[in-house]
Amino acid sequence: MERIRIIESKNYVDQQVEIAGWVANKRSSGKIAFLELRDGSAYFQGIVLKNKVGEELFDLATHLTQETSVIITGTIQEDTRSNFGYEIHIETIDVVGESVDYPITPKEHGTDFLMDNRHLWLRSSKQHAIMLVRNEMIRATYEFFNKEGFVNIDSPILTAVAGENTTDLFHIDYFEDDAYLAQTGQLHAEAGALAFGKVFTFGPTFRAEKSKTRRHLTEFWMVEPEMAFATQDESLEVQEQYVAYLVQSVLDNCDYALDVLERDKELLKKYTQLPFPRISYDDAIELLQKNDFDVEWGVDFGSPEETFIANQYEQPVFILNYPKEIKPFYMPLHPDRDDVVLCADLIAPEGYGEVIGGSQRESDFETLKQNIIDFGLDAEDYDWYLDLRRFGSVTTSGFGLGLERAVTWITGTKHIRESIPFPRLLNRLTP
Ligand code: 4AD
Ligand code: MG
């Protein structure tokens, strides 16, 4: 008999198949038992009829405990009452591994308890659906950038210098020396852009941010494209196309997961409309002030400000040209201004905040060197990075998309901790 995955059920209606999985839940009455089965691809219902399978098997079915692993055989049928649309009429059940006192029961549990049991919580249908969307977004990322001629290069995680700022660095002992966990792959991506034209890095990045918000992880995955001979305006076009591609790919390939998450697909469709609106930092400040926000020109935006700005639009919005003072050393001044830099943050709708930070890069050797010094960094430590501007410098632009921020937004999840399999937070290193 053919072993299939639950997600393939639609191709096997009225056929006898085998399924290897787990009992997620169970209910039974005198003559009929309903097993909620999962196999990692989806969840569906298995039906055991006493008068069909006999006393002994029916008794086994009604005594199966939550998360027992089983191999079952049966016949796939349409099931118009369920969201999934198919069920299996069970004929045989083989128990593979028992499960006694599984800690996560169908009743409500607190978040801390679920987080402590994250290694088991991943088995539940909502967490499963979020991970399917995450997987699709990773797949679509490689597809998009390969299609557009970008080369994937891997940047190191162990680094000698700060990539973004000196305040959120994780320090580690590196033999006799000091090292830091990478905050960004950008500086190495710039080397890649000058070598290969268009590149992207995709890997874990680290921020020792003491923030306990629903948007911050201490370890998160970042997609960082970098392009030679590209201006900030050209980079913005790549950014919006990439984000629209992510949303469209999820709509095309994660229908089941979006249903489980009860995500509004019509809303998601709006996020594929291009171009995305753009507003300058100056205009954003004016808009906020007119609406009674207590903000002065020069401050960075917090979550209430970002949400207010995002709510003016139906798509993600770019905020352009922030003050130089609040942005990193590698951002160049706006050609007509000495107080703002050529950069943009992309703010997601629905209060999800910044999903992309990007900029043109300072490409003039002397200016870059002076910026590094002005930021209180040691120019000698950045000698290799300065080489990029010593030898055939060109206009370079790039950006970083925080994968978990984007997953949280696209799945409509409340907290970023559910958008990564094993979150690392200010007070969480386990499991
Ligand atoms: O704006 P950030 O700090 O930009 C950079 O690191 C640039 N070097 C990127 C580049 O131009 N190559 O971070 C980029 C994105 C943010 O927009 C956000 O989505 C995400 O990374 N991010 C975080 N995600 C989760 N937890 C945190 N603590 C994050 N910090 C940043
Ligand atoms: Mg940022």
Side-chain angles (χ1 to χ4, degrees):
M1 194 173 310
E2 194 173 351
R3 177 177 297 178
I4 68 159
R5 301 202 84 200
I6 293 175
I7 197 79
E8 305 162 337
S9 295
K10 63 174 181 297
N11 305 324
Y12 293 87
V13 175
D14 292 333
Q15 293 183 44
Q16 255 193 326
V17 297
E18 180 178 278
I19 285 181
W22 293 261
V23 178
N25 203 354
K26 173 198 68 190
R27 63 198 165 82
S28 57
S29 63
K31 293 189 186 114
I32 185 163
F34 299 97
L35 306 181
E36 196 199 345
L37 297 165
R38 65 170 190 87
D39 71 345
S41 74
Y43 296 69
F44 78 165
Q45 172 169 278
I47 293 173
V48 192
L49 292 170
K50 191 173 182 174
N51 64 14
K52 195 166 143 203
V53 301
E55 194 90 31
E56 200 181 329
L57 187 63
F58 188 77
D59 193 52
L60 171 79
T62 54
H63 286 91
L64 286 171
T65 51
Q66 198 188 346
E67 287 304 318
T68 299
S69 47
V70 289
I71 294 176
I72 59 151
T73 63
T75 307
I76 302 288
Q77 312 250 286
E78 281 191 42
D79 170 20
T80 48
R81 285 149 305 163
S82 81
N83 243 345
F84 183 67
Y86 302 91
E87 61 189 14
I88 186 163
H89 288 248
I90 294 177
E91 283 141 28
T92 67
I93 301 174
D94 275 323
V95 171
V96 179
E98 289 186 2
S99 167
V100 180
D101 296 336
Y102 186 71
I104 304 178
T105 57
K107 72 164 200 219
E108 289 275 310
H109 293 283
T111 307
D112 271 345
F113 178 84
L114 291 170
M115 274 298 171
D116 287 342
N117 287 286
R118 181 66 176 166
H119 51 296
L120 302 175
W121 191 23
L122 284 172
R123 300 180 183 193
S124 72
S125 58
K126 185 178 166 214
Q127 301 307 313
H128 176 247
I130 296 170
M131 290 306 134
L132 290 184
V133 174
R134 178 187 170 103
N135 180 61
E136 173 59 20
M137 289 169 63
I138 293 169
R139 193 202 63 75
T141 293
Y142 283 102
E143 185 174 81
F144 177 83
F145 287 109
N146 278 294
K147 198 166 60 72
E148 298 290 325
F150 286 68
V151 178
N152 177 222
I153 65 156
D154 297 315
S155 51
I157 287 168
L158 295 170
T159 56
V161 296
E164 258 331 272
N165 61 52
T166 50
T167 51
D168 328 320
L169 284 168
F170 276 112
H171 173 264
I172 49 174
D173 291 330
Y174 193 71
F175 307 108
E176 310 297 294
D177 281 322
D178 294 317
Y180 306 100
L181 298 180
Q183 293 172 314
T184 169
Q186 179 195 321
L187 306 192
H188 297 87
E190 285 184 53
L194 293 170
F196 308 117
K198 297 200 271 187
V199 298
F200 70 107
T201 67
F202 180 38
T205 47
F206 304 86
R207 304 276 167 102
E209 272 176 301
K210 294 215 163 118
S211 350
K212 264 201 201 163
T213 76
R214 58 193 187 90
R215 296 174 177 182
H216 287 91
L217 295 163
T218 53
E219 175 177 322
F220 63 97
W221 285 67
M222 190 156 37
V223 180
E224 295 186 86
E226 194 71 32
M227 296 158 279
F229 293 105
T231 61
Q232 169 65 0
D233 282 342
E234 289 165 326
S235 171
L236 291 182
E237 285 178 28
V238 176
Q239 293 175 42
E240 60 193 2
Q241 283 163 19
Y242 169 47
V243 169
Y245 195 84
L246 287 179
V247 177
Q248 189 61 52
S249 300
V250 170
L251 280 166
D252 289 345
N253 300 319
C254 297
D255 203 46
Y256 167 71
L258 292 175
D259 284 341
V260 171
L261 296 166
E262 298 175 17
R263 189 68 170 125
D264 183 343
K265 293 175 202 168
E266 292 309 313
L267 201 57
L268 289 180
K269 275 184 201 150
K270 290 188 185 162
Y271 307 154
T272 64
Q273 308 284 309
L274 297 185
F276 291 162
R278 288 141 164 82
I279 181 176
S280 69
Y281 173 88
D282 292 356
D283 289 346
I285 285 284
E286 204 179 301
L287 175 74
L288 289 165
Q289 287 172 341
K290 274 195 192 134
N291 288 278
D292 301 328
F293 279 85
D294 184 19
V295 287
E296 294 289 317
W297 194 96
V299 299
D300 208 353
F301 296 137
S303 150
E305 289 84 16
E306 284 180 353
T307 301
F308 182 83
I309 296 164
N311 285 345
Q312 312 304 308
Y313 307 94
E314 295 210 309
Q315 295 144 282
V317 52
F318 286 113
I319 303 179
L320 312 181
N321 307 328
Y322 284 73
K324 177 180 162 57
E325 297 304 316
I326 56 172
K327 289 293 179 186
F329 60 87
Y330 53 75
M331 294 192 181
L333 279 178
H334 187 286
D336 313 324
R337 301 269 296 263
D338 61 3
D339 54 350
V340 300
V341 284
L342 280 180
C343 73
D345 284 355
L346 182 69
I347 312 301
E350 303 173 71
Y352 285 97
E354 177 195 334
V355 283
I356 290 183
S359 78
Q360 196 163 302
R361 314 310 188 188
E362 181 54 67
S363 56
D364 176 68
F365 174 82
E366 290 300 339
T367 315
L368 180 60
K369 187 170 175 190
Q370 195 55 50
N371 278 358
I372 290 172
I373 295 165
D374 293 345
F375 268 75
L377 302 165
D378 187 343
E380 256 173 53
D381 292 344
Y382 290 83
D383 204 45
W384 71 265
Y385 180 62
L386 284 162
D387 268 355
L388 307 179
R389 307 307 173 180
R390 273 189 190 103
F391 304 111
S393 182
V394 301
T395 302
T396 313
S397 297
F399 62 94
L401 171 130
L403 178 69
E404 292 77 15
R405 292 266 180 99
V407 172
T408 307
W409 160 49
I410 292 175
T411 56
T413 304
K414 256 191 13 224
H415 198 295
I416 196 166
R417 65 188 161 215
E418 291 180 41
S419 294
I420 183 164
F422 296 100
R424 295 294 176 250
L425 300 157
L426 185 53
N427 44 18
R428 181 163 297 281
L429 262 176
T430 332

